[in-house]
Amino acid sequence: MTMFKLRQKVFDNNRGERGEVTKVHPLGGLITLQNSNGFSWLAANENCSATEKRTPTIIERPSGEPFRIPPGTIPHENMRPSDLRVGDFAFLDGRLLRIRDMRGRFGGGRTIIFDKGRARPAEDAERVYRSLR
């Protein structure tokens, strides 16, 4: 079920009208919407959709170069090479790229393989972004 926040702009599919959330009711999946003319009405969460697209969070790196966090992921700090997974996002040349494959190396290390065959050795303490699923 979609949850909306106060002052969020939504479209009520049943009424065919846009409104701003003025109240989120704790039970029943209901919200109160108000249009630009000040008219209020009760709407069901499942009949509404957000009109504003969420923009990805931008984080400033120490170098000052921003990067975007892949949607639906959270950071994991100090990951050992053996803890990395295919599907994690790791840094390559200042960009977060999805790990497509990994290969073992002599001495217990790993080589991380990204899209288009780009690769680099895994560091002892990697910062990766992993899906919440």
Side-chain angles (χ1 to χ4, degrees):
M1 179 191 310
T2 305
M3 297 298 296
F4 297 105
K5 299 177 187 172
L6 287 176
R7 294 184 292 284
Q8 185 175 2
K9 307 275 192 262
V10 299
F11 183 78
D12 184 348
N13 296 309
N14 277 354
R15 286 183 72 92
E17 189 170 355
R18 294 178 192 272
E20 182 176 296
V21 177
T22 57
K23 183 173 183 181
V24 177
H25 299 273
L27 299 174
L30 299 174
I31 54 177
T32 301
L33 299 175
Q34 182 176 11
N35 66 12
S36 58
N37 297 327
F39 177 76
S40 295
W41 71 94
L42 199 60
N45 275 341
E46 67 254 10
N47 295 331
C48 296
S49 53
T51 60
E52 302 165 327
K53 296 284 184 193
R54 290 181 52 191
T55 57
T57 304
I58 296 177
I59 295 177
E60 290 289 329
R61 291 191 8 206
S63 68
E65 181 182 337
F67 67 92
R68 295 190 187 275
I69 295 175
T73 63
I74 58 172
H76 290 270
E77 303 285 339
N78 301 320
M79 299 290 285
R80 297 181 315 227
S82 60
D83 295 331
L84 300 177
R85 298 180 190 166
V86 170
D88 287 347
F89 288 84
F91 284 102
L92 178 70
D93 299 331
R95 296 179 51 212
L96 280 172
L97 299 175
R98 184 183 301 273
I99 297 173
R100 295 289 178 200
D101 199 3
M102 289 178 282
R103 299 283 189 253
R105 289 191 342 218
F106 181 74
R110 275 188 156 174
T111 298
I112 301 172
I113 302 170
F114 298 97
D115 286 333
K116 298 180 184 175
R118 299 183 71 188
R120 71 164 174 80
E123 298 173 6
D124 291 334
E126 287 278 346
R127 179 180 191 186
V128 298
Y129 289 80
R130 185 169 285 166
S131 176
L132 294 170
R133 293 179 225 143

